[in-house]
Amino acid sequence: LELGKAVLEKILNYRRMPDEHKNCKGLSCKSCTAIHLTKIVSAIREEKPITFVLPAFPGKSPNTEKVLGILPDYAEILSLQFLNDLCEQIKKLYSPGAKIILCSDGRVFS
């Protein structure tokens, strides 16, 4: 349980909260953490990587009229570097680490 809390605390350092939750105190707020902590602890017990799904990740539009080229732009590169760094931080705490599944709806709108 303590390892799960350490992992969740690492993630909570980067969250963005709506105004009604601005006074939330991280791990002490059960309504914000209970569902996540349960899933993290479950992965740890099974000695599997902790899996996250990031919905609506902005992907590169294939429409060449909307983009400057086919390569990722700097914002995309920074985003992916950040996510990789987060996984590396988690791996320092928990050796199986974490994996992030990106779900992009960009193709629908291109």
Side-chain angles (χ1 to χ4, degrees):
L1 185 61
E2 292 306 311
L3 179 55
K5 286 181 178 179
V7 169
L8 183 55
E9 187 171 34
K10 184 69 67 180
I11 297 161
L12 292 179
N13 286 332
Y14 300 107
R15 73 180 170 166
R16 296 190 181 158
M17 300 295 294
D19 288 338
E20 63 266 18
H21 290 278
K22 287 291 182 193
N23 295 324
C24 177
K25 303 296 182 214
L27 290 176
S28 64
C29 180
K30 300 296 181 208
S31 67
C32 291
T33 61
I35 191 168
H36 305 298
L37 188 57
T38 301
K39 292 180 182 189
I40 291 170
V41 169
S42 176
I44 291 171
R45 282 191 184 132
E46 295 177 23
E47 298 180 2
K48 293 183 176 180
I50 300 165
T51 302
F52 300 94
V53 177
L54 185 55
F57 189 82
K60 188 71 160 185
S61 172
N63 184 339
T64 55
E65 293 180 14
K66 294 182 178 182
V67 296
L68 296 175
I70 61 170
L71 298 176
D73 62 30
Y74 196 57
E76 291 163 333
I77 291 169
L78 289 177
S79 296
L80 294 171
Q81 284 175 343
F82 167 78
L83 294 172
N84 186 66
D85 290 345
L86 181 58
C87 287
E88 292 295 323
Q89 290 176 42
I90 292 169
K91 190 168 189 148
K92 287 178 184 175
L93 296 171
Y94 172 62
S95 61
K99 67 178 181 178
I100 299 174
I101 299 170
L102 301 176
C103 294
S104 177
D105 56 3
R107 295 240 183 241
V108 174
F109 297 106
S110 67

